[in-house]
Amino acid sequence: YGSSSQKTDYVFKVVLIGDSAVGKSQILSRFSRNEFSLDSKATIGVEFQTRTLLIHHKSVKAQIWDTAGQERYRAVTSAYYRGAVGAMLVYDITKRQTFDHIPRWLEELRAHADKNIVIMLIGNKTDLENQRAVPTEDAKEFAEKEGLFFLETSALEATNVEEAFVTVLTQIFNIVN
Ligand code: GDP
Ligand code: MG
């Protein structure tokens, strides 16, 4: 009681997928370091970032993997998906095409990942509401049909980013416990 024990109870690998420029790296940066950059070149080519949080009084280390420009169809390798227990499937609410590609990403994910993987569909860039091209209802309907969690986020305004990860990590936690 009261000690600052560093022990980690769980490590959960979560992968970020979706088209290029939808904001995957900035979502990760917001979640892991509470930082945001409008310059996408600021994206560093690291494989993953970690952040440890408490879920039901247990220490959970989230290991979040980011693609380093491999977003072309089928360029993401199976090694990327290996061991993943969660996935963030991201599109840009201002770019219809990025939402239309979601079924492909889902197919890729289901082909490579564990069948019990927890998936969150994320519509990013809600701060650009005046440029919206994907109605919330369309995404909600798709998510329900496919059994995915769904949230709209803004990495820029820090809206729902924390909620998205906490939802997925808590769901994973509940599955393994
Ligand atoms: P990635 O290719 O999916 O990793 O996308 P990035 O994270 O590199 O983001 C692509 C561009 O979109 C960059 O210029 C980011 O600054 C910008 N961006 C990311 N998230 C948001 C957001 O929530 N709102 C706005 N307005 N721009 C964003
Ligand atoms: Mg990126």
Side-chain angles (χ1 to χ4, degrees), residues 9-165:
D9 296 302
Y10 299 93
V11 178
F12 294 157
K13 175 177 173 178
V14 176
V15 293
L16 282 156
I17 53 171
D19 284 5
S20 184
V22 297
K24 299 181 298 298
S25 297
Q26 292 308 317
I27 287 171
L28 177 53
S29 169
R30 177 61 78 193
F31 178 68
S32 59
R33 291 174 277 128
N34 200 21
E35 288 173 10
F36 177 86
S37 169
L38 268 173
D39 178 7
S40 63
K41 291 194 203 80
T43 297
I44 28 170
V46 292
E47 286 188 306
F48 62 82
Q49 307 250 17
T50 62
R51 187 177 137 192
T52 300
L53 13 75
L54 279 179
I55 297 178
H56 298 313
H57 309 290
K58 297 288 187 188
S59 162
V60 173
K61 183 186 278 188
Q63 187 186 78
I64 320 289
W65 288 61
D66 188 16
T67 56
Q70 309 145 305
E71 293 96 339
R72 272 177 312 106
Y73 187 51
R74 301 225 155 125
V76 176
T77 61
S78 54
Y80 186 74
Y81 297 103
R82 192 166 304 133
V85 287
M88 303 306 214
L89 194 47
V90 188
Y91 66 94
D92 175 344
I93 67 150
T94 74
K95 299 256 167 9
R96 181 73 205 191
Q97 184 175 251
T98 67
F99 178 69
D100 293 339
H101 288 163
I102 288 293
R104 276 189 191 180
W105 284 110
L106 192 55
E107 193 184 309
E108 281 261 288
L109 186 60
R110 288 189 167 140
H112 289 101
D114 188 274
K115 68 169 167 39
N116 293 318
I117 192 166
V118 176
I119 308 170
M120 168 74 75
L121 177 66
I122 293 181
N124 189 41
K125 308 197 186 181
T126 53
D127 55 285
L128 302 176
E129 182 61 40
N130 58 343
Q131 295 170 47
R132 178 185 286 274
V134 183
T136 304
E137 272 311 310
D138 290 14
K140 195 181 276 181
E141 197 176 291
F142 177 82
E144 272 168 23
K145 185 174 61 118
E146 296 291 342
L148 318 174
F149 288 96
F150 167 62
L151 276 175
E152 290 187 336
T153 63
S154 168
L156 186 152
E157 292 181 335
T159 309
N160 274 346
V161 173
E162 184 84 9
E163 288 79 354
F165 283 100

